[in-house]
């Protein structure tokens, strides 16, 4: 007898299976967003500007807006934190320029550089020390070439026929005669690379823990086996040649794992770094062992000045450093003097000491002992050299967000340094600015000084009432400052780029507004005349030129001041105030102080520049957009920011929605949230732990903090110290509580520490397991940031579809 009940069960089961298959996987081909968005994506990109040290030439550089999938499909090897094209021997992720033009200051004529290679793929541009020439690399289908441009003739020509090795970055350096360069070239007898897929393993891969702690972050693209080690060694091995303009190249040094090549300011010595074995499977190449060796101009060893071991383990904490000499480099104001730092606390932030670091200088030919010239209270971070009597040093301590600026006499170690600025690094309103630099007789950048020892500070000028960039003349004898210029614009943003002539008060500025593309001008600060335009780039985004844009200010429930940049849709009637859906985009930032967290560093006068990571496109689709909404996560005193991460996250979001809702623009039941990387982590948590949002978009995030157990973002504590916080902050662990639709997007080849693609894949599986509405889109061949035009257009289509379905329509 036919069992109808049984057949009904089979049919029902098949229908469920078919539905599961359809829902589990969509074979979607590449799509494009609506035309209003496409018009903003597909535009002619204005050039960028580079200025030489003498401030007499500007270089206009041009490039395509996007790469293509073909670009991303090149051969690639992922080794020790590097991504290398083993055919061309340059980074597989590098972005190329495709044209160069030159303009002389004072002239309106823009000159096309002639003689450029066919189909130029230009990168690694460097001005000659005398600023009369520039060099660049061009990548062919098989190699990296070295080219040069004479600025007077605007003529380009290839100056070296060998194959450069750019696998570790910059493959050449100018010598200070401006007539010769040192280059790293692929060895004439280069070993063949090993195809690991075809190689028969000789045994298992074994890693050992010998009792020393190695609490490293979750690095990507590490070496995995002996084949990786051999290929890495092959790819970073170079021979060094001296290339002489109008002459024959001379072999300068034999094949080795050469890293940096840095001529001394007087050009008589070359500081090199040379990587050593053993390699590591748990840290990237920048922590491999290396030696620092100084050679003379003929390639003969003068002195081995440093021997750094493999650094697999460091003490815990952001401010931990290795012991021994570090940050070794040339003094910019001396002919041939090295400086370096040594930790006085064993590199361990937990050890209490009066001084953390000590600065030494060491004169060539390095046959005497280095001389101590400064001790810093916190971790040394940078230095600006002036002259024999004046130098500026900086230290910092992340845990307190404190930075100190020291004025000291490098010729008199017994003279006490003066701390001229001592402040909260995140206090934008109290930022004194950055010291202006200028080229000295060696062609190196040093502190710009007058005969009266006046230096110049260029500041961004953020205040509670807006942004007003400034220049202060700061006397290094009296330690008193005089404001010699401050921007007064209330309808434009004026960025101060550099001082062109300190005697004449001539400065280079960049002016922009929401509708005016950034252009460069020369301003005479002692004149009341308007600045003189030297570029004339047109706005490529005219379709959104007249949208309403403002920085709104509002408060969190605990009184912390917050801001966000609000955009109303194209054609919005502010009198009728139709309530529309809103897209909010943000990125959480940790603070140790409420006052700093509440400062406004957004400017509504900045040019409105949509790009693939921005939600601004959707003002053309009838949405209100709140971009760059403040999401401070504060931990004052003994408390750390993440101790109350979720509570503060929700409070930030509610305050933002309340603020825009009170203006009458939005339907607060139709608000979406989105973010990239840590912003994606934020998005997943907000959709899980609040009912403020209708849906969300999370791109390239990390959702399970136990997969980053030795810290993430600015969290220094490990999982075993604060397991509750790690678990509570992980939206993966609360997948069963997610009820709001989430679009997850991730690059297939994410190279960012901690945000490997598996994070999105496993999170999506968890959400699907509990029936949460979610969609996972993996963009082929993309890293942490997305670059291929096909992927970017499809991403925008996916986001638009998501907003239309779950935000505008409210499904």
């Amino acid at each position: 007898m036919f069992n109808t009940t049984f057949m009904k069960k089979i049919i029902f089961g098949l229908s469920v299976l078919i539905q599961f298959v359809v829902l589990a996987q969509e074979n979607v081909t590449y799509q494009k967003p609506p035309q209003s968005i496409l018009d903003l994506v597909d535009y002619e990109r204005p050039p960028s500007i580079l200025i030489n040290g003498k401030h007499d030439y500007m270089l206009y550089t041009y490039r395509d807006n996007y790469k293509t999938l073909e670009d991303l499909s090149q051969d690639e090897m992922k080794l020790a934190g590097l991504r290398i094209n083993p055919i061309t021997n340059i980074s597989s992720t590098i972005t190329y320029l495709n044209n160069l033009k030159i303009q002389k200051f004072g002239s309106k004529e823009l000159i096309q550089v002639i003689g450029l290679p066919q189909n130029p793929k230009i990168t690694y541009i460097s001005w000659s020390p005398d600023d009369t020439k520039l060099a660049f690399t061009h990548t062919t289908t098989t190699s990296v070439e070295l080219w040069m441009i004479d600025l007077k003739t605007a003529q380009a020509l290839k100056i070296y026929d060998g194959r450069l090795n750019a696998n570790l970055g910059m493959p050449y350096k100018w010598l200070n005669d401006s007539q010769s360069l040192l280059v790293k070239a692929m060895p004439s007898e280069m070993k063949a690379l090993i195809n690991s897929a075809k190689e028969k393993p000789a045994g298992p891969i074994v890693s050992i823990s010998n009792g020393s702690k190695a609490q490293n972050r979750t690095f990507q693209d590490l070496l995995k086996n002996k084949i990786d080690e051999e290929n890495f060694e092959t790819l970073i091995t170079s021979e060094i040649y001296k290339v002489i303009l109008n002459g024959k190249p001379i072999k300068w040094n034999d094949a080795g794992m050469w890293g940096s090549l840095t001529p001394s300011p007087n050009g008589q010595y070359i500081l090199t770094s040379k990587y050593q074995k053993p390699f590591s499977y748990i840290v990237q190449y920048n922590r491999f062992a290396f030696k620092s060796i100084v050679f003379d101009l003929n390639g003969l060893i003068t002195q081995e000045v440093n021997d750094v071991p493999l650094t697999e383990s460091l003490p815990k904490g952001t401010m931990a450093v290795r012991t021994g000499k570090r940050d070794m480099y040339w003094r910019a104001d001396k002919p041939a003097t090295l400086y370096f730092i040594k930790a006085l606390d064993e590199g361990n932030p937990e050890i209490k000491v009066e001084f953390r670091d000590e600065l030494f200088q060491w004169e060539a030919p390095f046959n005497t002992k280095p001389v101590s010239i400064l001790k810093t209270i916190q971790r040394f971070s940078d230095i600006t050299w002036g002259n024999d009597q004046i130098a500026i040093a900086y230290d910092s301590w992340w845990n307190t967000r404190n930075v100190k600026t020291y004025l000291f006499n490098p010729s008199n170690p017994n003279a006490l340094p003066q701390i001229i600025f001592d402040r909260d690094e995140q206090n934008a309103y109290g930022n004194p600015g950055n010291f202006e630099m200028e080229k000295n007789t060696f062609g190196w950048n040093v502190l710009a000084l007058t005969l009266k020892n006046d230096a110049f500070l260029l500041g961004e000028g953020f205040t509670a009432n807006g942004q007003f960039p400034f220049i202060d003349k700061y006397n290094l004898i009296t330690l008193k400052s005089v404001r010699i210029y401050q921007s007064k614009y209330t309808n434009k943003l004026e960025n101060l780029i550099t001082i062109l002539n300190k005697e004449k008060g001539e400065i280079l500025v960049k002016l922009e507004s929401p509708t005016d593309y950034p252009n460069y001008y020369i301003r005479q600060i002692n004149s009341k005349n308007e600045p003189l335009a030297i570029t004339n780039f047109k706005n490529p985004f005219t379709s959104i030129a007249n949208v309403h844009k403002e920085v709104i200010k509002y408060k969190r429930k605990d009184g912390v001041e917050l801001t966000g940049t609000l955009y109303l849709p194209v054609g919005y009637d502010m009198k009728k105030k139709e309530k529309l859906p809103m897209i909010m985009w943000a990125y959480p930032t940790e603070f140790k102080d409420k006052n700093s967290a509440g400062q406004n560093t957004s400017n509504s006068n900045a040019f409105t520049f949509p790009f693939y990571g921005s939600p601004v496109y959707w003002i053309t689709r009838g949405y209100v957009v709140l971009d760059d909404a403040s999401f401070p996560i504060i931990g004052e005193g003994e408390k750390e920011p993440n101790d109350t991460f979720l509570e503060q996250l929700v409070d930030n979001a509610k305050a933002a929605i309340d603020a825009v809702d009170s203006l009458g623009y939005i339907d607060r039941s139709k608000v979406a949230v989105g973010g990239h990387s840590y912003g994606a982590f934020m998005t997943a948590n907000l959709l899980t732990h609040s009912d403020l949002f209708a849906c969300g978009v999370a791109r390239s995030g990390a959702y399970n903090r136990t997969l980053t157990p030795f810290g993430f973002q600015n969290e220094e504590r490990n999982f075993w110290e604060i397991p509750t916080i790690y678990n509570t902050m992980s939206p993966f662990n609360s997948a069963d509580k997610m009820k709001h639709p989430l679009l997850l997007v991730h690059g297939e080849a994410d190279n960012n520490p901690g945000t490997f693609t598996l994070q999105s894949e496993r999170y999506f599986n968890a959400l699907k397991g509990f029936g949460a509405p979610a969609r996972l889109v993996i963009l082929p061949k993309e890293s942490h940031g997305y670059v291929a035009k096909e992927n970017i257009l499809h991403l925008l289509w996916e986001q638009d579809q998501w907003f239309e379905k779950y935000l505008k329509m409210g499904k």
Side-chain angles (χ1 to χ4, degrees), residues 322-392:
R322 62 173 175 79
T323 57
K325 302 173 193 151
R326 70 177 201 277
D327 297 341
M328 181 175 282
Y329 207 66
W330 296 110
R331 265 189 69 167
D333 63 324
K334 301 289 280 184
T337 297
L338 289 172
Y339 71 89
F340 60 86
I341 313 300
K342 292 186 78 172
L344 298 174
D345 57 2
E346 300 177 21
N348 188 345
E350 294 184 0
I351 294 177
K352 305 298 182 184
V353 291
E354 184 179 3
F355 297 102
R356 292 282 175 185
D357 279 338
E358 189 169 12
L359 171 65
F360 293 85
Q361 65 179 15
W362 198 4
E363 291 188 13
F366 317 108
N367 51 14
T368 58
K369 287 185 176 181
V371 176
S372 171
I373 56 174
L374 178 70
K375 291 180 180 179
T376 60
I377 297 169
Q378 302 177 135
R379 191 67 72 211
F380 173 89
S381 59
D382 201 1
I383 194 162
T384 301
W385 298 101
N387 53 40
D388 281 343
Q389 286 77 42
I390 293 173
I392 306 287

Side-chain angles (χ1 to χ4, degrees), residues 551-801:
V551 174
I552 62 170
K553 298 180 181 180
Y554 49 97
K555 287 185 179 182
R556 205 164 71 174
K557 70 178 184 180
D558 60 358
V560 174
E561 298 275 355
L562 304 176
T563 61
T565 304
L566 180 69
Y567 299 85
L568 299 181
V570 174
Y572 185 82
D573 189 331
M574 295 182 68
K575 292 181 180 179
K576 290 184 178 179
K577 286 194 175 183
E578 180 186 358
K579 291 184 179 294
L580 298 176
M582 181 175 80
I583 300 168
M584 183 171 75
W585 215 259
Y587 190 94
T589 305
E590 295 95 328
F591 290 88
K592 290 294 290 180
D593 172 65
K594 285 185 177 180
N595 292 328
S596 297
Q599 292 180 352
N600 175 26
T601 56
S602 299
N603 192 324
S604 60
N605 294 322
F607 179 70
T608 302
F609 202 134
F611 68 103
Y612 89 85
S614 160
V616 171
Y617 292 116
W618 278 272
I619 58 177
T620 70
R621 299 280 289 156
Y623 296 91
V624 174
V625 168
L626 184 66
D627 194 17
D628 196 23
S630 297
F631 264 72
I633 309 296
I634 306 165
E636 293 190 307
E638 296 298 316
K639 291 185 178 180
E640 291 298 323
N642 286 337
D643 292 349
T644 53
F645 177 82
L646 294 179
E647 297 95 316
Q648 293 191 63
L649 211 60
V650 173
D651 288 347
N652 290 328
K654 185 177 184 304
I657 295 171
D658 287 345
V660 185
D661 186 34
S662 69
L663 297 173
Y665 300 138
I666 63 169
D667 176 351
R668 67 178 300 139
S669 69
K670 293 185 176 183
V671 179
V673 62
H676 190 93
S677 194
Y678 208 55
F681 176 68
M682 168 204 75
T683 297
N685 270 308
L686 283 171
L687 294 181
T688 302
H689 299 288
S690 78
D691 288 314
L692 295 169
F693 299 98
C695 64
V697 175
R699 300 194 312 243
S700 296
Y703 308 103
N704 185 347
R705 297 275 58 128
T706 67
L707 296 180
T708 55
F710 290 108
F712 56 90
Q713 203 70 1
N714 293 309
E715 178 56 68
E716 295 185 319
R717 299 167 294 181
N718 66 46
F719 167 76
W720 293 271
E721 291 176 287
I722 51 169
T724 301
I725 290 175
Y726 270 69
N727 283 317
T728 303
M729 287 179 68
S730 298
F732 176 87
N733 292 346
S734 300
D736 59 328
K737 297 180 176 63
M738 170 69 85
K739 300 302 177 189
H740 303 290
L742 176 61
L743 174 62
L744 288 164
V745 183
H746 219 114
E748 181 186 36
D750 197 315
N751 58 345
N752 187 56
T755 59
F756 28 74
T757 311
L758 182 71
Q759 287 271 9
S760 285
E761 293 171 335
R762 291 293 179 262
Y763 186 39
F764 173 76
N765 288 343
L767 292 174
K768 186 168 182 58
F770 287 103
R775 180 179 176 90
L776 173 63
V777 179
I778 303 295
L779 298 177
K781 303 181 183 298
E782 294 287 3
S783 299
H784 191 60
Y786 316 142
V787 295
K789 185 175 182 179
E790 298 93 329
N791 282 327
I792 288 171
L793 292 179
H794 186 83
L795 166 71
L796 297 175
W797 176 82
E798 289 278 2
Q799 292 180 170
D800 187 71
Q801 293 287 304

